[in-house]
Every structure is written in C-alpha cells, then in structure tokens.
Amino acid sequence: MSNAQWVITVGEGTCGIAAGAPEVTELLRKRFPEAEFKSVGCVGMCHREVMVEIADGEGKTYMWGNLNKKNLPKVIRFHRGEAALPKELLIRSSEHPEVEGGEYLTRQTRIALRNVGQLNPTSMAQYKARGGYAAIEKIIKNGMTPEDVIEEVKISKIRGRGGAGFPTATKWGFARGAPGDLKYLVCNGDEGDPGAFMDRSLLEGDPHSVLEGMLVAAYAIGASKGYAYIRAEYPLALKYFGMALEDARQAGYLGHNILGSHFDFDVKIKEGAGAFVCGEETALLASIEGDRGMPRLRPPFPAIKGLFGKPTIINNVETLANLPWIINNGGASYAAIGTEKSTGTKVFALAGAIARGGLVEVPMGVTIRHVLEKIGGGSATKRPLKAVQMGGPSGGCIPEHMFDTLIEYESINATGAIMGSGGMIVVDSKTCMVDLAKYFLQFTQNESCGKCTFCRIGTLRMKEILTRICDGEATLEEVDTLEEVARTVRTATLCGLGQTVANPVLTTLKYFRHEYIAHVQEKRCPSGVCKALIHHTIQNDKCSGCSICQRYCPVKAITGTVKQPDTWVIDQQVCINCGMCAEVCNPDAILAA
Amino acid sequence: MSTASLEAVVDPGKVQGWINAIGSDPSAAVPILQAIQTEYGYLPRKAMNLVVENTQINASQLYGVATFYAQFRLKPIGRHLIRVCHGTACHVQGADRLNTSLRHAMEIEDPKQDTASNGSYTLENVACIGCCSLAPVMVIDGQAYPSLKGADAQRELLKHAREHNEILAGHDAQE
Ligand SMILES: Cc1cc2nc3c(=O)[nH]c(=O)nc-3n(C[C@H](O)[C@H](O)[C@H](O)COP(=O)(O)O)c2cc1C
Ligand code: FES
C-alpha cells in the first residue's frame, strides 16, 4: 500500500443497509483506518448489494459487489497484496477491463437517476458540484418568465411519471392561469405500488434534484407553498429530504426572495400514513388537510381548486427529478430521446424472478424484452419467464410472447396493462396468475376507501370469486361473472383506483384464461401455488434423507429415518401445504402438485 | 406477562408538547397521531382524548383518521415489532411462508391475534418497504432482513429473541 489517500465508497441506500452495508463498512474501517469513507445512495444494482468501490488514490479503482462479512476478508487480503483477485466479487475495475459487470449500468440512459449512487445524498456541496441548482439559477439569473419555463417543458413533451402520463406543461398551464394569490405545489412521494421503489431511490439517493424540480415547477405555476408527501415506510427518504430542505433554506434556495428575485417558496414534509389511495391526487390533498384520504369528484381539478381550495399542482417525484435536466439541457434535447408521443426516459424497478433486479432507466421506445433480458439478465431461476406485471395493482400483466412490446404509453396501454409509475414484477412458471390476480384484489379491496359502491362492493365480489377459483370451488359461470363485474367496476367508479382496479383481473383473463379453466374444471393449480388444490409429497428417488424438511415443518407432518431416503413421508392429514419443506429441500425432492 | 400490561402510561405533558409543536387545527390530525404512535407504539385512548380536548380536532375526525390509515394501531403492541412485507415482489417470492413460520415460533394460532401471548413480539403485515429486489423481506424493530426463506425468518427471530432475552412460546427450549 502506498501513501496516497484511499477512498472507499459504500452504497448506503435502504437496500444496501438491509443487505448489510453497516457491517461491511465497520469491518473495512477497522482494516483501512486511514482511508476516507464516502457514503452514496443506491446506484440501483440491488442484486449486487452490498457494493463498495475502493480507489487507491493513484487511479486504480475496484468496484466490488455481493459483499458480506464472510467474503470481505478475500477483498481485504487482495488489496493488501496477500491474495489473488476474487473475480466473482468484482463488478468492474480500471485494472480489469475484461470484467464487465457494469453493463447493467452502461446499458441505461440516466437522466432522472443522473446523480443517484454518484453522490452523498446529504451533501448539498456534492449536488452543486455535479451541476445542482444550476436550473433554478438559470431561470432567475436569465430572467426566464414562468411562461418561458412552461414553454421549455412543453417542448420536452414530458408526461407525468406518476402513472397517468398527462402532459406536464399542459397541467401547469391550467394552474398558472387559475386566479388566486396563493397556489400550492405538491410532490407526490407516496409510491403506493407495492413492489416499486423508483421514488424511494430518488428521494433518498438524490433529494436535492427532487427539490430543485419542485422549485422549477413552483416558479412556473406561481406557487409559494409546497408539500412533499412521502410515505412513512421510507424513513431514510424522509430524513434525507428533510436535511435537503434545511440545507436549501440555509443557502437561500428556499424562503423569501429566492436568489434575490421576487420568488418565494418553501416546502413542508407530510408523512404518509399507509393508504394506497392517498397516491391519487385528490385523496392525497384530503390527507394533507387532515382527513381520511378519500378522493373527490373531478372537476373541479386540483389545478383550479385543490389544497385548501387553492389552485394546486401535484407532480410525481420522478417527473420532478427530470425538470432540472430539462431546463439545463433544453426541452428539445429531452424530446430527442424516446418516441414521438413518449419522450425522454423512464425509470423502472425490476423485481421478482429476475437475475439482476434493481433500478433501470431506459429511453422510451425500447422493448420490454430489452429491459428484462439485456439489462435484467433474464430469469433468476432455471425456469422460463412467464409474464411481467406493470403498473402494480392498477396495471396488468404482459405475457412473455408480448415482450417485444415497445415501452411507450400507447403501446403498453394497448396490451391492457399500463405504464404505471414503473414497477415491473417479473414472474416465472411457479407463479400462479389467478393467485396473483387474487393478491391484487385482496390488496385493493382492503385499500378501497369505500366511498363509491361499485368499488367497495365490486372489489369484494371479485375477491370472493377469485378466492373460490383458487380454492377449486368455482364454476365456469362464475368466471364469466368475474369478467362482467370487472368491466362494470371499470366504468362506474369515481376515482382512478376504481377505474383501474380490474386491470389485473382482465389481463390475466385475457392472457392466462387457461389457468383459470384448469382451476375450475380440473381442480388443478398448474403452477403448484394454490393451497387447496395441491399436495406436497416427497419423491423418494430424489430424497437424500437429510431430515432438514422435518426440522422446518411447522406442523410436524414429516417423518422418516435419517439417511434412509425411502422412509420419508408427509402425512397428508396433518400437512398445511405451507411449502416450507420444498423451500429448504436441497435436492428439490418435494413436489407440490 | 399478559398483553394487558402492555398498555402505555400516557404523559399529558408530552401530548400537549406535540400539539404545541405541530398545531391544533384539523390538518394537524395525522402528524399528531404519528407522534403519539412513535412514542407509545399505538394510540392509547387517553392520548386520543387529550387531543380532542385540547385541539380543534373533534372526536369523529380523529377516530375517522385513526381507523382509515393502515399505519395506526388502536391496540398496544408487544415489546418488539416484526413487520413482514407483503408487497407484490415479496408475495410472489413466498412472504406467506414467513408468516407461517413466525406465527409458529410465536405460537399464535388465532389468525386475528398478532401479538404473542407473553407480550414479546407483535407481527404486522406491511405493503412494501422498498427493497423489492431483496424479497422477501421482514423488519424487526427497524432492522431489515433480506432474501429470506420461511425457515430463515424463524431462525432470525430466534436469534433476535436470544439477544433480547425474550422467550418464544413456540420454542421454549430455544433450540
Ligand atoms: C389509486 C391511485 C394511486 C396512485 N398512486 C400514485 C403514487 O403512488 N405516486 C404518484 O406519483 N402518483 C400516483 N397516482 C397518480 C396521481 O393521482 C397523479 O396523477 C400524479 O401524482 C400526478 O403527477 P405526474 O403528473 O407528475 O405524474 C395514483 C393514482 C391513483 C388513481
Ligand atoms: S415488495 Fe416487499 S419490499 Fe417491496
């Protein structure tokens, strides 16, 4: 080791911490007491957490992944020159161009995520060093009028990233034109889709970008007060966004006469309290006002009559994070990316049966297959992929044979799914599509605010029928009833929740009707998931007689003699089909069918 | 120890402190309740009454809000809180098995019960904690445990119990 200053950078976003970053850092600090340690947000390669980059101060860099207490000594010994390169842990290195684990990142186009994982989210100085707050300075110092800002955003043709895809500039125009001295700008950080984390990564990995986006939007519509509604399940996002507000206030980017202009703006944080429907804009406003988060009938639209009765614009976190880039680089540069009607990039959160799960930002117009295979690395299991669920509970599934669909609003909508806010849950042959539809209906039935009858009763009816199908108790007529209820709920409900709640049912019926039929007619769950229709049995020819299944069976249904594979059986009278045995069985000897 | 003894002793001074800090108009309802729950783990009746008496928030609004949002609990919780994620990613990767194995270790059979009868742990389902690439996930007292199998969940819980001198009914021998 030379005397040059070593720099060790650790990814300490929520997923890095969950995967064990604090432990790894502690060990590294002990071994390299002289090194400078840096903490950055989640770069989005969640499948490689814990990630650490070690730079020796002389230009040599090594990015390591999948670190834990056990394998870390290998890396430490390597850096001390005591051991060979542990290649399996290396993601990329200046010294080893042949290792290209970084393609996950290099195949992306990062605009919204431009800083995530590149800087310490709690350091305003680092944000500024990467061009932060240049957009708001440009607006004010160049004397851009609000109309100029709206025009630039109009040229970019950016559409809201919160799900609905409404043109941002158009929406702003309504609020700009609305009469009234007091207007509000609200950042929607509720991220209700269970299984998505784009907004979390932005809020905790690059809070100043979101805040600067709020400044741009507030300036454009003439808002003097702002709220950031962030869900309580994201403690780190709440903390870092709060610190960003403090720092921005200190630096004069928030408050009165920002940068010497006549522009006043400040932001309060509102912590969400766990209600999916509060992501819907009118429900979100009701929640900020202190009420139950129940949607209101539109019109009047919030842009005219919103929070506390004042003109209000609600924008999604990712929409906001794109704005500084658009102002700095010009709307035309943004519009040059993507397709005619869907410009720019979109961030997706890849999870489920995917080899490389994490955050992905791609230009609009690439195919779903490109995202799942080229970037996501395809199936994480040996089993083939079956479908991808886009848009969470409001979205739908897209089957594998349609993975060549382009990622743009119109093409995705044509499949019956929606672009949504960016959740992509990838499933393989071991996921039952009927069970998945049931899961979503359970979720939405629970989350329906209950205000309108079709949503309140319709979701319950759909959930009941889906439960009967999964239990093997339904008839074919009920499948038709399910479809009918789904179509009715879609057209007769008040808010976006009700209008989209049937999408998971309708798309699974459209693309996987055969799975429904198998449950109803053959009383069979082809994926081996629905408990009422499966039995767990031991295939003695594959069994090794290790007894691990017995130890983990919660109901003591398994008996046998150690090292005698032929003796092992599951008592069907006792078994509750929880599947714990199949999960721990090494030789994969337990069959669920 | 019974769950009855988990009832919190409410300090009126503290409740008034939150009201002073947050505000007493109707829009303060959610943050005040959040402050109360952060302190006591649930919303004690006495604290709720104090809010109604000392703010412009009336009882129907306050209870309406407290029962609408999934975050709020009206019953006391155990000494430790286990939150199992049931977001989509966790669901398709076997979150149900985490509940089965944890409930078994805590010896809870009644599906409506969520706190071990000795008051040690409370089990709660949540809708996604945002590390979906590490599914399925559970969180015990704020610390996340990633990529769990059903059996791992039980093992981590047993370890946690040992470190915190808690006894798990389903595992009296603490094997
Ligand atoms: C049930 C439901 C849930 C929603 N959840 C979210 C959410 O979590 N985050 C979000 O930004 N938008 C959500 N939306 C969309 C918002 O209503 C709104 O369209 C969006 O925040 C506007 O911002 P944008 O124009 O920048 O996309 C949801 C809509 C519905 C109907
Ligand atoms: S689905 Fe469990 S963490 Fe997101």
Side-chain angles (χ1 to χ4, degrees), chain A residues 30 35 74 86 93 127 163 196 209 232 269 271 301 326 376 401 431 439 478 509 542 569 571:
Chain A
K30 273 194 203 139
K74 283 196 207 171
S93 163
Y127 178 65
S209 278
I269 294 183
E271 194 174 316
F301 286 93
I326 291 173
H401 71 264
T431 293
Y439 163 80
E478 280 174 276
L509 274 169
K542 287 191 187 168
V569 283
D571 183 342

Side-chain angles (χ1 to χ4, degrees), chain A residues 194 200 290-292 439 554 583, chain B residues 61 64 69 86 88 97 104 130 150:
Chain A
R200 164 184 74 71
D291 278 328
R292 294 163 77 101
Y439 163 80
E583 212 176 40
Chain B
Q61 186 203 344
Y69 295 98
H86 282 264
T88 318
R97 287 194 282 277
H104 195 257

Side-chain angles (χ1 to χ4, degrees), chain A residues 193-197 351 425 439, chain B residues 84-91 126-137:
Chain A
D193 174 358
F197 50 94
I425 304 285
Y439 163 80
Chain B
V84 177
C85 176
H86 282 264
T88 318
C90 292
H91 172 77
V126 292
C128 177
I129 54 164
C131 22
C132 323
S133 301
L134 304 172
V137 197

